[in-house]
Amino acid sequence: MFSCVSKAFLTLNMAVIEFFGGFVNSIIWIIIPEIFPTTIRSTACGFISGCGKIGGVLGSGTVAVFYYINPYIVVSLLTVAGIVEFVLSFVFQKETKNFVMKDC
């Protein structure tokens, strides 16, 4: 698919995307279950997973549209999205040390 993009550019950007995207997964599956009370924990994780699936569908459509305009836009868009995910995962992170959970 990305044969018209230089291999070094593509490799570097995909490494950045994978590195920063890993932080988002740790936030979703490690920190989120610690924040919510037991009674709504599975609902909260399911809601977050559903939002991720909607984003995946919209992202696939975006890639298909932008690829025909310019393949560099697609790679750059994915890289920017990975960096934004990384920054937002630290901005909105909530410390759970010594946090008392209240059951509803």
Side-chain angles (χ1 to χ4, degrees):
M1 179 175 171
F2 296 111
S3 61
C4 53
V5 178
S6 71
K7 190 168 184 150
F9 178 76
L10 184 64
T11 304
L12 177 67
N13 280 314
M14 290 302 155
V16 168
I17 292 167
E18 288 297 320
F19 177 76
F20 290 129
F23 286 98
V24 175
N25 285 330
S26 68
I27 295 295
I28 290 173
W29 299 113
I30 296 172
I31 295 179
I32 295 296
E34 291 181 0
I35 293 174
F36 291 106
T38 307
T39 55
I40 62 167
R41 184 174 301 158
S42 61
T43 304
C45 287
F47 177 76
I48 292 168
S49 295
C51 290
K53 291 185 186 304
I54 291 170
V57 169
L58 294 176
S60 299
T62 304
V63 166
V65 169
F66 284 131
Y67 178 74
Y68 292 107
I69 297 170
N70 187 353
Y72 285 101
I73 293 174
V74 174
V75 177
S76 301
L77 189 66
L78 293 174
T79 304
V80 169
I83 294 171
V84 168
E85 290 170 357
F86 174 76
V87 170
L88 290 177
S89 67
F90 280 106
V91 169
F92 293 110
Q93 182 178 358
K94 184 175 181 181
E95 179 60 49
T96 59
K97 185 177 181 182
N98 297 325
F99 183 71
V100 178
M101 295 295 292
K102 297 177 185 175
D103 282 333
C104 297

